[in-house]
Amino acid sequence: MAGASRREYLGLVRTLFACGRFALVVLAPLTGCGTADTGADRPPRQHPDTGDTGADPDPVPASQDVISTDLHLDLKSLKGHAVVTVVTAGDADAIHLKVGDLVISTVKLDGADAEYTVIDDRIKVPAAAGSHELDVNYSFSAHEEWAGWMPKEGLTFDWPYFCGNLFPCNPDTADGLTFTFDVTGYADEMTAVYPTEIAAEAPPYMLAVAVADFTETDLGTTTAGTDVSLWTLPGGLDNGLQGTKNLVAGFDFLEQTYGPYSFGDHVGTVEAAWSDLGGMEHHPYWHSSTESMRSEEVHIHEAAHGWYGDGVRLECWEDLTLSEGTTSYIAGRALAESGGPDLFETYIEELDYLCADGSPANTIAMPTTCGAIDILEDPLWSMVPYMKGACFYEDVSHVIGTEALDLILADFYQQHVGGAARMGDMVEFIRAEVPAEQMAAYDDAVKVWLEDLACPSDYAERCTAG
Ligand SMILES: [Zn+2]
């Protein structure tokens, strides 16, 4: 691919990852064609080892709320122990949790041996309405695909809804929970990077552990007192330092602009031995692939998910733009204010592909259904939520002003952190602050970026930062 232009390379990569899937790429190390950053989260994968789908035909009852999970995983014996606090209400007569391919050994309900049934990937424990503590001992399986504990890579990955392969859970992102976490069963010379406690409600897929011969580097402390670290694999420090040179300043901007971070006072990037490009919002210690460690975008993007995606969760997978679009926008703001590269230039190049006539990757960024799609199989799992989403906000900032939009995004975050929301809620929340004389321009931005399939013809101008 030497000598290929960036555009050709992007197209080529996408061709290689055909079937409507996309690759999130970091160009510089592969092509030598510049320092541009591109891409954020991981490429989508098939999950052939489970039959799970996002559009659950038999979701756990809405009257059930998982409050917290105290989890212990032993990576040597592959044994797990989870104590799940669940509140059921109304006419509930049982607790329902996903248990994926776990092999259950004991179940106690409120301290007493429980009768339970496991059907397919779900456990049902009869229980009257009220608050309960479910204590489960089990074995979990190693996975080669992205659906649980991956011993080859030394890390867990359960986005979007494979938490049941690690611990009994409700994978519904609307049902956030807190965690305490403990990991054993790894060699003394290795480091396991994981949060021992997540005290604010998080989506079920956020929890992760990575085990490797890590070197931790202290990058600095933000104004709010958050310590920022970098964990690199042997040989990875130079790339990691390159990609994080504006990370502390960027994280500081996010805290100062949008509101206090909710997942603790120590954060950072963990180099993940993925075979692919991208990163994952495993707060407070988010993951970045080795190939993406030079990318300033990937570090700040995963960090920014602490505000949107993790801090404010998705009501349903159709709201992916609330996570990826908002995160891409505020990541762009954070780097722009920290002396980093202009991410919107990269976003426009993505749009050059998405918005081309007949592009197979284009889709509508804000579907109107809720809970009706399997995100891994739906066209929405594309760059559209990222790029049309980010450009929607950039366009709106041209209408009402960047600082005004920052204040709105801060208010929305602070009102919804720890809870779930819809992209449509954000659209209406902004609308309430738009002056009457700008309303037509705002409505047009909503239409062309979020509701229409076709991109606006002047997409590049409307998504240019400034
Ligand atoms: Zn993301």
Side-chain angles (χ1 to χ4, degrees), residues 399-462:
V399 174
I400 65 171
T402 303
E403 288 73 22
L405 181 57
D406 276 343
L407 287 172
I408 294 170
L409 292 174
D411 281 348
F412 191 93
Y413 167 73
Q414 289 168 32
Q415 289 186 24
H416 292 86
V417 61
R422 300 217 61 188
M423 187 61 200
D425 297 336
M426 175 65 87
V427 168
E428 294 310 311
F429 194 85
I430 299 171
R431 177 173 279 118
E433 302 296 324
V434 175
E437 60 271 26
Q438 269 108 43
M439 194 60 76
Y442 177 70
D443 285 340
D444 184 64
V446 173
K447 180 176 183 298
V448 300
W449 292 110
L450 303 179
E451 297 176 346
D452 286 353
L453 175 63
C455 302
S457 56
D458 54 349
Y459 64 81
E461 183 185 334
R462 295 175 74 151

Side-chain angles (χ1 to χ4, degrees), residues 312-327:
V312 179
R313 303 188 306 278
L314 302 183
E315 185 71 34
C316 24
W317 288 109
E318 284 92 332
D319 300 314
L320 191 59
T321 297
L322 181 66
S323 173
E324 299 301 354
T326 317
T327 291

Side-chain angles (χ1 to χ4, degrees), residues 40-41 281 301-302 305 323-324 327 386:
D41 302 320
E281 57 263 34
H301 177 100
E302 303 312 335
H305 272 303
S323 173
E324 299 301 354
T327 291
Y386 297 72

Side-chain angles (χ1 to χ4, degrees), residues 198-416:
I198 293 173
E201 283 204 22
Y205 59 75
M206 193 179 89
L207 188 74
V209 58
V211 181
D213 181 14
F214 285 118
T215 297
E216 181 179 355
T217 303
D218 176 10
L219 296 177
T221 302
T222 66
T223 306
T226 305
D227 293 321
V228 184
S229 288
L230 170 69
W231 286 268
T232 48
L233 297 168
L237 185 58
D238 286 351
N239 281 343
L241 291 176
Q242 171 73 21
T244 57
K245 57 190 177 186
N246 295 298
L247 182 60
V248 177
F251 204 92
D252 193 49
F253 171 84
L254 294 169
E255 289 180 321
Q256 296 301 318
T257 306
Y258 302 115
Y261 178 73
S262 67
F263 299 118
D265 58 7
H266 185 203
V267 301
T269 298
V270 182
E271 182 178 358
W274 298 1
S275 54
D276 286 292
L277 304 156
M280 183 65 212
E281 57 263 34
H282 293 308
H283 276 255
Y285 311 130
W286 54 86
H287 292 183
S288 166
S289 73
T290 295
E291 292 288 354
S292 297
M293 285 296 277
R294 285 177 63 86
S295 165
E296 286 204 63
E297 178 184 1
V298 172
H299 295 274
I300 195 66
H301 177 100
E302 303 312 335
H305 272 303
W307 281 261
Y308 281 93
D310 288 340
V312 179
R313 303 188 306 278
L314 302 183
E315 185 71 34
C316 24
W317 288 109
E318 284 92 332
D319 300 314
L320 191 59
T321 297
L322 181 66
S323 173
E324 299 301 354
T326 317
T327 291
S328 296
Y329 177 73
I330 65 174
R333 288 280 301 125
L335 276 194
E337 296 288 337
S338 309
D342 179 356
L343 297 186
F344 293 91
E345 291 180 0
T346 312
Y347 300 167
I348 291 166
E349 295 196 11
E350 293 286 342
L351 288 177
D352 290 341
Y353 171 74
L354 291 173
C355 300
D357 281 348
S359 171
N362 195 12
T363 191
I364 291 169
M366 188 172 70
T368 55
T369 60
C370 183
I373 65 170
D374 176 349
I375 188 63
L376 287 177
E377 300 299 329
D378 194 85
L380 189 63
W381 182 221
S382 67
M383 290 305 285
V384 164
Y386 297 72
M387 299 307 145
K388 283 188 173 178
C391 294
F392 161 69
Y393 290 111
E394 183 56 37
D395 199 354
V396 171
S397 81
H398 299 172
V399 174
I400 65 171
T402 303
E403 288 73 22
L405 181 57
D406 276 343
L407 287 172
I408 294 170
L409 292 174
D411 281 348
F412 191 93
Y413 167 73
Q414 289 168 32
Q415 289 186 24
H416 292 86

Side-chain angles (χ1 to χ4, degrees), residues 133-201:
E133 195 174 271
L134 197 65
D135 184 307
V136 185
N137 279 292
Y138 58 92
S139 298
F140 57 96
S141 295
H143 286 258
E144 290 192 3
E145 294 292 334
W146 303 75
W149 166 238
M150 299 163 64
K152 196 166 135 236
E153 289 80 5
L155 50 83
T156 63
F157 192 100
D158 55 13
W159 187 95
Y161 36 63
F162 297 101
C163 52
N165 289 342
L166 278 176
F167 57 94
C169 70
N170 176 8
D172 182 352
T173 61
D175 189 0
L177 72 163
T178 63
F179 290 97
T180 46
F181 191 25
D182 179 40
V183 178
T184 56
Y186 53 92
D188 287 346
E189 63 271 25
M190 295 290 166
T191 302
V193 182
Y194 62 92
T196 56
E197 181 177 27
I198 293 173
E201 283 204 22

